[in-house]
Amino acid sequence: MSEAIVSVRNLRTSFFTKAGEVRAVNDVSFDINKGETLGIVGESGCGKSVTSYSIMRLLDPPGKTVGGQAFVDGVDVLALEEDAMQDVRGNKMGMIFQEPMTALNPVFTIGYQLDEQIMKHLKLSKAASRERAIEMLHLVGIPSPDQRYENYPHQLSGGMRQRAMIAMALSCNPDFLIADEPTTALDVTIQGQILELIQSLQARLNMTVQFITHDLGVISEIADNVMVMYAGRTVEVASAERIFGNPSHPYTHALLDSIPRIGRRMERLPTIDGVVPSPLNLPKGCSFQNRCPFATEQCRQERPPLDTIDPGHNVACFHPL
């Protein structure tokens, strides 16, 4: 796509364990246009975070990206040497991690950690870097930023740590921001503030965002397009309006049905029967076959391709709803 700033093609990432190869991400492809947000949703273990860590080249052994391409501004970041990737990471690409208390270094101040990145990528002096860091802390809504600059991570609340992580991710004006469940550990009030902050900064800086969550309510608020993942694979991709208004994959449909709604009275919410298959032993055909009420013999024998059923709407299912 001509407008796409991010294009991922046939990404495959595995973890090589004593028990065998765990295919965490299996042939995933997507595009994100400039200034838009792609929401990646799915239950725990479906490959959402591993997809992002693969693109950022932050996987540790035994994890390894074994195939595919990831273009950011036309450059395949998976093919770069590590030195070149370090220049891209934090500069053209930023990431907000799921748990800031583990992502931030506890033995260095917030200011030191901001300065380290700013001086490396923007080549600023110590004084100019401090000014930039305090400006970023102010931008993300941290009160008394000059004082917080001197604080250690444990001296900040959970919401303030997450804001500091956002400041760090945006400090070098990245074109592409990955937000990996940035509101999971926060209460609902702070969660709303963080989502509003990310959206306002995105509009102000014209950033492209990849937002990962298992919360469909969050996705409905922030995403332009949505990619639904299951067992390491993409099962449906469409605009947020289409996903929430007319989902086509049985898994997407089941996820939406399980959300409580105001005005809908029932004794028990619908659930998805069965369990996700082990990535060590994925079934021959569709990974969702053992939980799908519409599964046929074809589903058990063949893997459904991700086909276009309408312009901008792709579904991996032989029997789309």
Side-chain angles (χ1 to χ4, degrees):
M1 297 174 63
S2 58
E3 296 180 26
I5 190 173
V6 178
S7 293
V8 174
R9 292 288 175 269
N10 309 114
L11 181 66
R12 291 183 291 115
T13 298
S14 295
F15 289 82
F16 294 91
T17 68
K18 291 181 179 178
E21 180 182 356
V22 178
R23 296 179 177 88
V25 177
N26 200 350
D27 203 26
V28 167
S29 300
F30 59 86
D31 293 295
I32 317 177
N33 290 341
K34 179 69 174 175
E36 291 188 350
T37 298
L38 174 70
I40 302 181
V41 67
E43 56 196 291
S44 296
C46 71
K48 305 184 302 294
S49 294
V50 175
T51 297
S52 296
Y53 277 79
S54 300
I55 297 170
M56 290 291 290
R57 299 262 302 271
L58 291 174
L59 284 172
D60 291 324
K64 183 180 180 182
T65 300
V66 295
Q69 298 170 299
F71 295 96
V72 178
D73 275 342
V75 176
D76 182 7
V77 296
L78 300 184
L80 293 176
E81 296 292 335
E82 182 56 32
D83 288 347
M85 186 61 200
Q86 287 183 13
D87 289 334
V88 172
R89 192 188 301 121
N91 192 5
K92 285 185 174 294
M93 302 165 60
M95 186 167 182
I96 304 170
F97 296 91
Q98 184 171 349
E99 178 44 67
M101 197 59 197
T102 55
L104 295 169
N105 194 320
V107 301
F108 294 112
T109 64
I110 296 296
Y112 178 92
Q113 295 179 65
L114 276 163
D115 286 344
E116 184 178 36
Q117 178 165 296
I118 292 169
M119 287 190 291
K120 174 179 175 59
H121 294 299
L122 299 186
K123 312 300 182 185
L124 297 181
S125 66
K126 175 64 176 175
S129 173
R130 183 181 191 279
E131 184 177 337
R132 170 71 176 171
I134 292 173
E135 176 190 345
M136 291 305 302
L137 293 175
H138 175 73
L139 180 67
V140 299
I142 292 181
S144 305
D146 52 337
Q147 296 177 27
R148 298 301 183 188
Y149 175 90
E150 305 291 347
N151 286 162
Y152 289 88
H154 73 272
Q155 295 175 297
L156 275 62
S157 67
M160 288 297 109
R161 284 196 296 268
Q162 195 61 281
R163 288 172 185 267
M165 176 65 70
I166 295 172
M168 192 172 299
L170 300 181
S171 61
C172 298
N173 300 320
D175 295 323
F176 176 41
L177 176 69
I178 297 175
D180 184 9
E181 304 204 39
T183 61
T184 298
L186 306 176
D187 63 54
V188 176
T189 303
I190 302 301
Q191 173 177 292
Q193 293 174 1
I194 295 298
L195 291 177
E196 185 179 348
L197 171 62
I198 292 173
Q199 287 176 299
S200 64
L201 292 174
Q202 179 183 16
R204 177 173 172 177
L205 303 173
N206 195 30
M207 282 189 308
T208 302
V209 177
Q210 179 178 313
F211 196 99
I212 300 166
T213 183
H214 62 273
D215 190 330
L216 285 164
V218 170
I219 286 290
S220 68
E221 290 184 39
I222 202 166
D224 297 297
N225 298 295
V226 179
M227 181 172 78
V228 182
M229 292 186 68
Y230 183 82
R233 291 172 174 159
T234 303
V235 296
E236 187 164 8
V237 185
S239 67
E241 182 180 3
R242 183 69 184 261
I243 289 287
F244 286 95
N246 188 23
S248 293
H249 196 282
Y251 176 61
T252 310
H253 207 278
L255 283 178
L256 291 168
D257 271 351
S258 67
I259 301 174
R261 290 180 174 84
I262 295 174
R264 185 174 75 168
R265 295 174 64 90
M266 56 180 59
E267 292 185 4
R268 184 185 176 114
L269 284 171
T271 59
I272 306 174
D273 294 333
V275 295
V276 181
S278 167
L280 277 168
N281 188 26
L282 291 171
K284 181 179 179 181
C286 175
S287 299
F288 191 57
Q289 59 173 273
N290 65 320
R291 309 176 74 185
C292 181
F294 308 103
T296 63
E297 187 60 28
Q298 183 184 22
C299 304
R300 287 183 276 273
Q301 296 299 323
E302 301 175 34
R303 174 184 167 188
L306 190 66
D307 285 337
T308 301
I309 60 170
D310 281 311
H313 190 175
N314 298 335
V315 180
C317 183
F318 291 123
H319 311 290
L321 303 176

